[in-house]
Amino acid sequence: MEDAFVITGGKPLKGEVQLSGAKNVALKVLIASLFFDATVTFTNIPDIADIRELIHLMSDLGVDCTLHDNHTLTVNPSGLQDKAVDLLHGSKIRSSFMLFGPLLYRFGKAHIPNPGGCRLGARPIDRQVDMLEGFGVDVGYDSTTGYYEAKLKESGLVGNEYTFVKPTHTGTELAIMIASVAHGETIIKNAAGEPEIDDLIQFLNNAGARIKREGNTIHVIGVKALKPQDTPYHIMYDRNEAPTYAAFALATKGDIVIKGVVRSQIDYFIKQVRLAGGGVEETEKGIRFYYKGELKSTNVETRPHPGFMTDWQGPWAVVMTQADGISTIHETVFEDRFGGYVAEMRKTGAKIDFFQPKINNPDSLYQFNVTDPLSLKQAIRISGPTKLHNGVLTAQDLRAGATVLIAAAVAEGESYVLSASTIDRGYEHIEKKLAGIGAVIKRV
Ligand code: EPU
């Protein structure tokens, strides 16, 4: 196997696409289930590589994970062992850091490798470490082994009032999990607001947790134990898949109905599609995205929810190569989200260059830690419309991989997208979904 997709582009993609379960919920609820004494069943689990990686990691820790079909998973955590999280598999997925929650709760200590996942810049975990310390955990990093080592103080996990210096999605989720079983009350301030976090809260509250969100503040009253409901937990659909398929529709001058998308979860994306002159219509089956005439350039700034999400900007960049005029994308969440796709897109003839918008206080706008304000290059300009040509492209990270696949679908002729398995990390059976809307694609 070459680990590549071959796609013959240049034709409008039309039809229906069903969203899969949300990767960024599935990973977290699986980890949360390790707080339980009982078996828990999940439905709508996406059949993606990151989930298989986490199942591997949890099985290595003694947890019994059984896939009943591709989307139903039972987790029996009774065999969870007090051992270090596997270096190789733990460093492949960033969410492995969240295993600190259940391991500290069960054993009072945990050894976890420096988390990996898509790089997207330096991507430190300083905020999570600081938050853990607030709960009474000592955390150290051993650079000779590449492991974080955490140990509970005698007081155990203690509820506290914690304010994140800047919001963090998985950091907020880890704080919520720990607070659910800590002694007393926890107030998490400046918490992240992504809908995936609310699905985790729902799952934990169904299991007896006492978590309440009021905007960016989350109140949690610790309970003695969590116990799952008898009925399986059905996780939400992956809202991040929707802008990807919408971009396939708009950039190829196609027409796609996306099933399973909750409109309020992608409101900001829909707003941009309308500004660009793209068609959007709510239908009984789902939300229809379609090309209805020349696209206009837009200016987008990524923001945490409810803003234009960072995970959507790569696919949007391809749409903007087909729009008339100069579009801009200003990335404010991750420090290196363009690195994955701009160079690849240029291979198809896309006209993209970098610039840095003038900002008075970069440290308050950017969600990442600004270490060198003078070297920032957080925005791109895209000139369009450009006739993209075929090429041999590489999926450098998950969303960048989807981005170059969209570019390949736009370009006439045969293109290769190498490192298809990078796209498999988060997109379920993407070649089948694309073939279902008329794409000429195969895996080689
Ligand atoms: N950050 C720090 N220190 C920390 C934590 C975060 O500097 O301790 C920085 C990050 O480097 C980033 C910013 O703060 O620049 C925001 O990071 P956040 O912690 O919110 O992101 P995350 O939890 O690592 C999750 C998703 C991402 C999604 C972001 C934003 C998962 C597994 N990942 O990342 O999803 O883009 O939230 O919503 O939930 C993806 O699916 O492709 C993906 C990258």
Side-chain angles (χ1 to χ4, degrees):
M1 285 279 273
E2 299 286 340
D3 189 23
F5 291 124
V6 193
I7 179 162
T8 307
K11 66 178 239 182
L13 299 181
K14 294 185 178 177
E16 295 175 1
V17 171
Q18 172 64 55
L19 296 184
S20 300
K23 164 178 84 80
N24 291 345
V25 173
L27 292 166
K28 325 305 172 51
V29 291
L30 258 64
I31 290 174
S33 67
L34 304 185
F35 283 91
F36 300 168
D37 283 324
T39 296
V40 57
T41 302
F42 298 100
T43 51
N44 207 28
I45 293 292
D47 186 11
I48 53 173
D50 269 12
I51 290 295
R52 287 192 288 278
E53 204 62 67
L54 180 60
I55 290 175
H56 186 99
L57 206 57
M58 289 181 17
S59 305
D60 183 64
L61 289 173
V63 177
D64 181 14
C65 300
T66 311
L67 268 168
H68 298 280
D69 57 49
N70 284 344
H71 302 112
T72 306
L73 175 72
T74 299
V75 180
N76 175 355
S78 59
L80 183 66
Q81 291 161 20
D82 177 11
K83 64 186 260 200
V85 171
D86 181 73
L87 176 64
L88 178 63
H89 294 277
S91 53
K92 278 191 191 169
I93 46 168
R94 189 170 170 78
S95 316
S96 58
F97 187 79
M98 300 179 82
L99 287 163
F100 268 124
L103 291 174
L104 283 164
Y105 173 63
R106 293 275 170 215
F107 310 116
K109 58 188 168 67
H111 299 270
I112 299 188
N114 201 356
C118 296
R119 269 285 147 211
L120 316 179
R123 246 181 145 183
I125 50 164
D126 52 327
R127 295 176 209 159
Q128 283 94 321
V129 169
D130 191 58
M131 174 273 292
L132 284 173
E133 286 170 349
F135 282 100
V137 182
D138 284 326
V139 189
Y141 181 64
D142 183 347
S143 58
T144 59
T145 60
Y147 270 80
Y148 281 93
E149 292 169 6
K151 213 170 170 201
L152 265 187
K153 296 197 179 100
E154 264 179 29
S155 44
L157 291 168
V158 278
N160 63 105
E161 182 172 318
Y162 186 77
T163 305
F164 281 106
V165 280
K166 293 184 184 191
T168 150
H169 178 158
T170 45
T172 299
E173 291 170 324
L174 182 56
I176 290 169
M177 286 184 197
I178 293 176
S180 297
V181 292
H183 302 295
E185 185 179 358
T186 298
I187 302 174
I188 307 163
K189 292 188 172 166
N190 202 18
E194 276 73 21
E196 290 81 5
I197 300 173
D198 292 324
D199 211 19
L200 173 70
I201 291 176
Q202 184 65 55
F203 170 65
L204 290 168
N205 279 345
N206 287 359
R210 295 177 64 193
I211 309 163
K212 208 166 122 198
R213 179 195 277 283
E214 276 165 11
N216 290 337
T217 301
I218 298 176
H219 297 259
V220 188
I221 297 172
V223 296
K224 282 218 161 64
L226 296 169
K227 190 177 174 309
Q229 285 186 316
D230 295 334
T231 47
Y233 189 75
H234 190 81
I235 67 164
M236 67 181 253
Y237 288 108
D238 195 340
R239 72 191 172 106
N240 293 328
E241 262 191 301
T244 299
Y245 288 104
F248 273 108
L250 295 167
T252 66
K253 298 189 168 65
D255 189 338
I256 300 175
V257 174
I258 302 178
K259 300 195 283 188
V261 57
V262 175
R263 197 210 141 106
S264 61
Q265 294 178 350
I266 59 159
D267 249 349
Y268 214 99
F269 180 77
I270 290 177
K271 200 171 131 197
Q272 287 304 318
V273 172
R274 292 217 160 103
L275 284 174
V280 186
E281 185 190 357
E282 285 191 63
T283 73
E284 268 182 21
K285 287 186 173 169
I287 302 185
R288 174 181 171 220
F289 292 91
Y290 61 102
Y291 182 81
K292 61 172 191 180
E294 189 178 81
L295 294 167
K296 295 188 278 277
S297 57
T298 60
N299 300 306
V300 160
E301 181 171 290
T302 63
R303 299 297 300 154
H305 185 76
F308 192 98
M309 213 187 157
T310 171
D311 295 335
W312 308 339
Q313 57 104 329
W316 188 249
V318 188
V319 178
M320 289 299 99
T321 64
Q322 303 308 299
D324 185 37
I326 295 181
S327 303
T328 62
I329 298 178
H330 183 190
E331 170 64 39
T332 72
V333 177
F334 287 109
E335 65 190 309
D336 191 15
R337 197 107 219 208
F338 297 120
Y341 74 82
V342 170
E344 295 300 310
M345 288 280 298
R346 283 177 176 156
K347 292 181 189 166
T348 68
K351 296 188 190 97
I352 306 179
D353 60 86
F354 285 94
F355 71 105
Q356 177 55 36
K358 282 205 173 67
I359 296 160
N360 290 336
N361 189 353
D363 201 40
S364 70
L365 176 70
Y366 292 132
Q367 305 298 302
F368 54 87
N369 305 331
V370 179
T371 46
D372 182 5
L374 294 179
S375 70
L376 290 168
K377 275 274 185 311
Q378 286 300 128
I380 54 169
R381 255 184 234 106
I382 305 160
S383 307
T386 304
K387 191 170 163 50
L388 302 183
H389 55 76
N390 66 328
V392 177
L393 311 169
T394 301
Q396 303 280 1
D397 64 54
L398 173 60
R399 306 293 168 196
T403 301
V404 296
L405 197 56
I406 300 166
V410 174
E412 273 175 28
E414 193 175 81
S415 292
Y416 278 80
V417 174
L418 309 179
S419 193
S421 52
T422 300
I423 301 177
D424 296 335
R425 291 185 58 169
Y427 288 92
E428 176 173 306
H429 307 156
I430 195 163
E431 75 273 34
K432 281 195 194 136
K433 291 191 186 185
L434 289 175
I437 50 177
V440 181
I441 181 170
K442 65 176 186 221
R443 189 185 286 266
V444 291

